[in-house]
Amino acid sequence: MSLLLSLQGALGQGILWGFMALGVFVTFRLLDFADLTVDGSFATGGAVCAIALTNGVDPIISLLVATLAGFIAGLVTGLLHTKCKIPAILAGILTQIGLYSINLRIMGRSNIPLLRIETLFKGLANQTNLSLNMVVIIIGVIFAVIVIALLYWFFGTELGSAIRATGNNEQMVRSLGVNTNFTKVLALMISNGLVAFSGAIIAQQQGSADVRMGTGAIVIGLASIVIGEVIFGKKGGFAVKLLAIMLGSIVYRFVIVIVLQLGLNTDDLKLLTAIIVAVALTIPVIMNKRKQLSMYKKLTGKEIEDHA
Amino acid sequence: MLKISNVSKTFNLGTVNEKKALQNISLQLDEGDFVTIIGGNGAGKSTLLNMIAGAYPIDCGIITLDGHDISLKAEYDRAKLIGRVFQDPMLGTAAEMQIMENLAMAKRRGKRRTLKWGVTKEEKEDYVNVVKDLGLGLEDRLTSKVGLLSGGQRQALTLLMATLKHPQLLLLDEHTAALDPATSSKVLQLTDKIVTEQGLTALMVTHNMRDAIDVGNRLIMMYEGRIIYDVKGEEKKALQVSDLLKKFEEASGHEFVNDRMLLG
């Protein structure tokens, strides 16, 4: 029973963290840009949302304000990369490190509890008599539908197509008259906006914002993406891809719950996450190699028989 | 149309690798000129095209296109007026995107990218027709990823994309060099057809002297960053490969040794 309850909690967590994974997907897969801003902008989302809530701002508006803060974080990384020509990874790290101090400034301390504040989740739970876990799932699903629909629409537009093409072949996009600096900055803003949104909604769900809440977020995002791709395949349309990442994020949480139930120390979680990502990225490579080898054996063996 | 005045470019200035890629180049193209450019490796042919396209900044000089000074404009900005096909067939198209999506992006050259849908229903039908004209059977595969096409097919598609919006200037940088002989001649024929039908102004770099003579109405030979020979009209039509070799030897003072230029 307690495992079931934990899994229910993990489902909600998976959806809420899934927004962050979708943000990472925009840069990592669509733009082909390894953006390490994420760890910082996730906490920024939480920090801004917490401050907004404690100042009496509506929970939904707080989410939007946090998303705006994420846009700005992405803008900074984007400008560092495009205007100052700083390599992608370093640009992301610089923003991430800078954001740590900024997040502390925003919150004024390292942790803000939201126990007495009416968050989105507590609000609905009080009104409907549903368990908090259920409320998280319901609200999570509603936002997931909205976010995935928005992403699906946006990346089908002229502007979204230009961003996807930038990740594919920058030279070609420029030679078709599109400013690739602009598309890159825009993609980074969208990505970090989603990440900050995720941080904000997580802060509301767990009832606190912490300056360290984003540590390792990028790896969790990557884990969700690769799990989604390995399990649900790389094929299928864009909507399927987005859904697969959301599901990847949920599966990741399930795995965590199960290994914790099996007695894994929580201190070892980050190591486990890193291993999951490394393994999931390695599997396709090994599979390809094996496929190639077995095909070689099959075809070459046939040839030898034919000649015999 | 295109006017290049006293343009120079030196790479790695002040180092042992200093390379004067373009030395005080001046060139004027009239509307509808189809110019082929030949020259040995390092003669500055590709550099000239890259300077016009804005891939790197020029050291000095002025480039005007259709009366506008574009010398300092960014590459993407010039691309609104200039269509390009590269030597590498992978460079002209987005592999992970559909043929249709690639065409739709080319269709929007010079336009602001908006939040309107990337490929509209009406244009899909247009694309079937334009792609049919290529004669490659791609009209049934408009939703296939471009990465699945062969190098020749991708190059033909790039050519189509480069000319879809009737650019003021078309730059072809050895765009048939990476293809096998049969495909290469097919793409060249297609180039000639499109440029002639649309009356485009074009610059085509080639390593193949035969091709340089056969297509276009004007021929330029470059050597060490300079234009050493410029011929057009009837005189150009009457040229032979041997004439070009002799010209080259006269200008450079040594023999032309490059298998690629003699073959074909």
Side-chain angles (χ1 to χ4, degrees):
Chain A
M1 193 57 209
S2 89
L3 180 69
L4 259 176
L5 210 63
S6 310
L7 286 179
Q8 202 186 33
L11 176 59
Q13 288 267 313
I15 298 171
L16 301 191
W17 281 85
F19 299 118
M20 188 268 305
L22 286 171
V24 175
F25 171 75
V26 170
T27 45
F28 186 66
R29 280 288 187 240
L30 295 184
L31 193 63
D32 196 16
F33 185 115
D35 178 28
L36 299 185
T37 317
V38 174
D39 287 18
S41 55
F42 187 82
T44 303
V48 169
C49 183
I51 283 297
L53 285 171
T54 49
N55 282 299
V57 178
D58 174 82
I60 289 188
I61 306 285
S62 306
L63 289 177
L64 295 180
V65 176
T67 309
L68 282 180
F71 285 158
I72 297 169
L75 177 70
V76 172
T77 302
L79 292 179
L80 284 175
H81 177 61
T82 57
K83 293 290 170 199
C84 312
K85 306 286 174 211
I86 296 173
I89 291 193
L90 186 55
I93 291 177
L94 290 177
T95 314
Q96 183 206 113
I97 294 293
L99 279 176
Y100 188 85
S101 300
I102 291 172
N103 294 341
L104 279 173
R105 285 273 177 191
I106 292 171
M107 296 200 290
R109 53 199 149 129
S110 63
N111 186 295
I112 295 181
L114 300 168
L115 295 175
R116 287 201 203 99
I117 285 161
E118 180 96 333
T119 63
L120 202 53
F121 303 102
K122 273 188 255 168
L124 191 69
N126 290 342
Q127 280 170 25
T128 55
N129 266 339
L130 287 167
S131 75
L132 207 56
N133 273 345
M134 266 322 278
V135 169
V136 169
I137 293 169
I138 291 167
I139 292 179
V141 167
I142 292 171
F143 275 111
V145 169
I146 295 170
V147 167
I148 289 178
L150 273 175
L151 285 175
Y152 181 79
W153 163 76
F154 178 75
F155 284 103
T157 64
E158 294 172 354
L159 201 55
S161 298
I163 290 177
R164 283 188 294 138
T166 305
N168 230 245
N169 185 348
E170 218 184 308
Q171 171 71 68
M172 169 244 189
V173 177
R174 265 201 304 274
S175 76
L176 291 178
V178 179
N179 184 352
T180 48
N181 284 347
F182 174 70
T183 51
K184 282 185 195 174
V185 171
L186 188 61
L188 281 162
M189 288 175 70
I190 293 169
S191 165
N192 283 290
L194 275 169
V195 171
F197 172 81
S198 181
I201 205 164
I202 289 283
Q204 293 206 22
Q205 181 260 331
Q206 69 189 17
S208 73
D210 190 283
V211 72
R212 277 173 213 87
M213 68 190 281
T215 311
I218 178 75
V219 187
I220 296 172
L222 290 178
S224 310
I225 293 171
V226 291
I227 291 172
E229 284 174 354
V230 166
I231 297 182
F232 304 98
K234 271 190 172 179
K235 294 198 188 85
F238 192 62
V240 177
K241 274 185 192 161
L242 295 175
L243 204 62
I245 290 159
M246 206 23 118
L247 294 174
S249 173
I250 294 166
V251 170
Y252 170 78
R253 290 289 151 189
F254 282 170
V255 171
I256 298 295
V257 163
I258 290 166
V259 292
L260 286 180
Q261 291 272 333
L262 292 176
L264 187 90
N265 189 328
T266 44
D267 291 347
D268 297 331
L269 267 185
K270 292 248 192 298
L271 176 63
L272 178 76
T273 311
I275 292 172
I276 289 177
V277 174
V279 169
L281 286 174
T282 314
I283 288 173
V285 179
I286 295 175
M287 297 284 274
N288 266 341
K289 180 101 186 163
R290 285 186 57 160
K291 212 163 112 189
Q292 191 202 346
L293 215 74
S294 76
M295 194 166 88
Y296 174 82
K297 277 184 187 153
K298 203 172 133 199
L299 292 175
T300 313
K302 222 176 180 181
E303 201 117 296
I304 292 167
E305 270 169 38
D306 288 348
H307 283 286
Chain B
M1 176 46 42
L2 176 73
K3 194 174 167 201
I4 300 170
S5 325
N6 305 313
V7 166
S8 297
K9 177 72 185 180
T10 305
F11 289 109
N12 307 313
L13 187 68
T15 71
V16 282
N17 293 322
E18 184 171 305
K19 166 91 184 133
K20 286 186 174 145
L22 294 179
Q23 304 193 45
N24 212 19
I25 293 257
S26 290
L27 175 71
Q28 189 161 357
L29 263 60
D30 294 325
E31 179 135 21
D33 265 354
F34 184 4
V35 184
T36 55
I37 307 177
I38 54 169
N41 290 326
K45 310 177 299 288
S46 292
T47 308
L48 178 64
L49 258 55
N50 282 330
M51 295 298 137
I52 297 170
Y56 339 92
I58 50 176
D59 293 342
C60 62
I62 289 172
I63 304 173
T64 61
L65 181 61
D66 207 17
H68 304 286
D69 185 348
I70 58 166
S71 317
L72 295 174
K73 286 214 171 138
E75 187 180 2
Y76 77 89
D77 210 2
R78 301 185 200 193
K80 289 167 185 165
L81 304 170
I82 300 176
R84 280 164 89 190
V85 184
F86 309 92
Q87 178 174 358
D88 183 351
M90 307 300 142
L91 280 184
T93 42
E96 293 283 309
M97 297 172 79
Q98 302 169 356
I99 295 178
M100 201 166 65
E101 290 178 306
N102 272 275
L103 284 165
M105 277 188 288
K107 185 89 184 167
R108 286 159 181 75
R109 178 195 298 280
K111 282 202 188 125
R112 218 189 154 76
R113 311 290 151 140
T114 65
L115 293 178
K116 285 191 205 128
W117 205 239
V119 193
T120 61
K121 253 193 189 137
E122 304 85 66
E123 57 185 300
K124 282 180 195 169
E125 284 159 29
D126 289 349
Y127 296 150
V128 172
N129 293 324
V130 281
V131 170
K132 214 178 231 167
D133 287 344
L134 289 180
L136 294 171
L138 295 180
E139 57 272 17
D140 306 321
R141 298 173 60 190
L142 282 180
T143 52
S144 298
K145 298 246 167 86
V146 169
L148 299 171
L149 305 184
S150 70
Q153 288 172 325
R154 283 182 77 162
Q155 208 62 328
L157 183 63
T158 308
L159 187 64
L160 190 61
M161 287 165 60
T163 54
L164 201 57
K165 284 295 284 180
H166 193 89
Q168 299 278 327
L169 181 66
L170 177 64
L171 300 177
L172 308 161
D173 191 357
E174 289 191 51
H175 68 306
T176 61
L179 309 174
D180 66 75
T183 316
S184 164
S185 90
K186 216 176 188 175
V187 170
L188 188 71
Q189 272 175 24
L190 187 68
T191 309
D192 199 25
K193 184 177 156 226
I194 292 177
V195 172
T196 316
E197 275 176 6
Q198 293 197 28
L200 294 173
T201 310
L203 277 168
M204 178 176 103
V205 171
T206 176
H207 259 116
N208 189 315
M209 294 206 178
R210 194 67 258 162
D211 293 348
I213 294 169
D214 288 346
V215 300
N217 66 333
R218 185 173 169 190
L219 183 147
I220 287 171
M221 187 187 284
M222 290 185 74
Y223 179 72
E224 292 191 339
R226 292 195 176 88
I227 294 172
I228 56 169
Y229 185 47
D230 186 347
V231 56
K232 57 177 122 182
E234 291 304 314
E235 196 188 343
K236 187 223 164 207
K237 269 188 205 151
L239 276 177
Q240 293 297 323
V241 171
S242 55
D243 300 332
L244 289 179
L245 289 172
K246 215 159 83 198
K247 263 286 175 259
F248 183 83
E249 281 157 27
E250 267 172 41
S252 65
H254 55 79
E255 240 176 282
F256 206 126
V257 273
N258 187 336
D259 294 345
R260 282 178 71 195
M261 306 195 70
L262 294 170
L263 292 170

